[in-house]
Amino acid sequence: MNITRAVRKQKKKKGNWFRVTLLIIFFMLAGSGLYFYNVYSDVASAVDKMNNPISREVSEKREEKIEVQEKDPISILMVGVDEREGDNGRTDSMLVITVNPETKTTKILSIPRDTRTQLIDKTKTKKDRIDKINHAYAFGGIEMSIDTVENFLNIPIDYYIEVNMQGFKDIVDAVGGIDVDNQYAFELDGVTLEEGPQHLDGIEALSYARMRKEDPRGDIGRGERQREVISKIIDKGKSLSTLTNYTDILDALENNIKTNLTLNEIIRMQSSYKPAAETMDKLEIEGSGKIINSVWYYMVTEDTRQMLSNELRAHLGLPEETIVAILNNN
């Protein structure tokens, strides 16, 4: 079997990705029970600024729009984008999250950024190309990333959350930094971190989240550190010690996060979908490295894609369908 599973059933466990995905926008503050009008008004304003709808309301892979209030199973694409001056940016990390409130389960799939696949451009179909999946953002932004992931897995993507990794340091600094136990000493972009427990500021946390060369697990290890960093931001954001500077936190969030989730949808998800966080199934894609035309790619077989598609579609309450083969992917 080409999919490694690790079922996690602990409540409030570090790395609780469903909670991380939803709370990072709103419940960083509301989790402490702070519902005074002025704070709620500020949070609502910040979420409104983060809200960035995409051109279509319903995925072509759905017959009708999902209804959060009806507790329909949903899917979320969460990406960390490496945006630098003079560059359109690329997705530094990519997670597909499916949530089924009826079965009270959540599945999280991490897609390696070097995965070789077909990039889908709905505006110019003749320009579809075979490339690394993280290049979709560089060519067509979040919408091309969504279309490409939908094609790769043959599932609908209902919502997205985009985090600017370069501005990520502002969010860490806004909560006063985080404490980690670094497993591998390394140097990256002028930042040197020793092995062992230490307190990280925003710049150091960004390097900690992005490092992969010194980690024998590569992208898998980096993904775990990124989940750890965001989880610890959430923990700090929910503590009373940070509420005095909640405006700094909101400023950092609204400047570095984009999503098509609305405030009402986030609130409904927190109340109706929260039990699904109690049972989580982490999926990782096994593949192999291959150099094609002097470029290294992560190769995923069609059988693995089909297996993943079947599992995620079943979790979303959709029937199995045969995936479209990726031509010239050899």
Side-chain angles (χ1 to χ4, degrees):
M1 189 171 182
N2 289 328
I3 308 173
T4 301
R5 293 188 177 86
V7 180
R8 299 179 179 182
K9 298 184 178 180
Q10 269 187 307
K11 292 183 179 180
K12 298 182 181 179
K13 187 174 181 181
K14 182 191 299 184
N16 187 330
W17 263 106
F18 177 61
R19 183 177 295 278
V20 166
T21 302
L22 301 182
L23 296 187
I24 195 170
I25 301 174
F26 174 68
F27 287 95
M28 177 176 281
L29 298 175
S32 298
L34 189 61
Y35 287 101
F36 298 113
Y37 174 76
N38 62 321
V39 175
Y40 179 88
S41 178
D42 289 342
V43 172
S45 176
V47 173
D48 184 62
K49 292 178 182 177
M50 288 182 248
N51 185 256
N52 185 45
I54 54 179
S55 59
R56 46 91 166 170
E57 291 188 4
V58 184
S59 169
E60 292 180 359
K61 296 188 179 296
R62 282 199 184 275
E63 293 184 359
E64 57 185 21
K65 185 177 181 180
I66 57 101
E67 297 292 344
V68 174
Q69 61 268 28
E70 298 297 328
K71 298 184 179 181
D72 290 338
I74 61 171
S75 62
I76 302 169
L77 175 64
M78 185 174 184
V79 299
V81 178
D82 187 5
E83 294 181 334
R84 305 189 181 192
E85 188 175 351
D87 189 344
N88 290 333
R90 293 173 177 79
T91 48
D92 195 57
S93 60
M94 186 175 287
L95 291 172
V96 173
I97 304 163
T98 59
V99 188
N100 190 314
E102 182 177 351
T103 61
K104 298 181 180 179
T105 55
T106 298
K107 294 181 184 290
I108 307 108
L109 173 68
S110 178
I111 304 178
R113 66 177 191 171
D114 294 326
T115 299
R116 182 177 166 88
T117 190
Q118 185 175 1
L119 308 189
I120 304 300
D121 187 342
K122 291 291 182 66
T123 63
K124 301 175 182 177
T125 55
K126 291 184 178 180
K127 290 193 175 183
D128 289 355
R129 69 192 79 188
I130 303 297
D131 207 333
K132 294 183 179 184
I133 198 166
N134 73 325
H135 288 183
Y137 188 91
F139 294 130
I142 190 64
E143 297 208 24
M144 190 168 177
S145 295
I146 291 172
D147 292 337
T148 297
V149 170
E150 285 190 333
N151 183 73
F152 180 69
L153 296 172
N154 192 31
I155 65 168
I157 296 295
D158 303 310
Y159 299 104
Y160 81 90
I161 297 176
E162 176 186 329
V163 182
N164 176 12
M165 296 302 289
Q166 285 298 308
F168 193 68
K169 61 183 182 295
D170 298 333
I171 300 174
V172 175
D173 286 334
V175 299
I178 59 173
D179 296 315
V180 302
D181 187 0
N182 186 28
Q183 301 299 306
Y184 308 99
F186 68 90
E187 189 279 329
L188 179 65
D189 295 336
V191 174
T192 300
L193 293 183
E194 302 298 331
E195 183 178 345
Q198 51 204 288
H199 184 78
L200 306 183
D201 62 19
I203 294 176
E204 292 168 334
L206 180 60
S207 293
Y208 179 76
R210 295 181 61 193
M211 185 275 289
R212 66 170 176 165
K213 290 185 178 179
E214 282 78 7
D215 191 329
R217 299 168 299 169
D219 272 330
I220 293 175
R222 179 170 62 173
E224 290 182 0
R225 285 192 302 278
Q226 290 173 347
R227 291 192 291 270
E228 176 191 8
V229 169
I230 296 178
S231 179
K232 291 193 173 184
I233 291 174
I234 296 300
D235 290 339
K236 291 291 291 289
K238 290 189 295 181
S239 69
L240 291 175
S241 63
T242 61
L243 292 181
T244 56
N245 68 324
Y246 76 89
T247 55
D248 292 338
I249 297 173
L250 288 180
D251 286 342
L253 291 175
E254 68 183 42
N255 290 329
N256 296 294
I257 292 179
K258 296 178 182 177
T259 181
N260 61 337
L261 281 163
T262 65
L263 181 60
N264 285 338
E265 287 171 330
I266 294 170
I267 293 174
R268 287 170 181 163
M269 286 180 186
Q270 172 65 3
S271 61
S272 302
Y273 289 66
K274 184 178 178 181
E278 296 176 12
T279 301
M280 306 184 71
D281 192 357
K282 178 183 174 183
L283 310 178
E284 292 173 353
I285 306 175
E286 283 195 5
S288 58
K290 184 176 182 179
I291 296 177
I292 300 176
N293 297 326
S294 302
V295 178
W296 191 90
Y297 294 95
Y298 191 75
M299 309 296 290
V300 180
T301 67
E302 303 297 348
D303 287 343
T304 297
R305 287 180 59 221
Q306 186 67 65
M307 192 182 307
L308 286 165
S309 178
N310 292 347
E311 181 164 359
L312 295 177
R313 288 183 66 87
H315 196 230
L316 291 170
L318 301 172
E320 290 186 6
E321 283 186 358
T322 301
I323 61 172
V324 177
I326 298 173
L327 302 178
N328 301 318
N329 198 21
N330 50 49

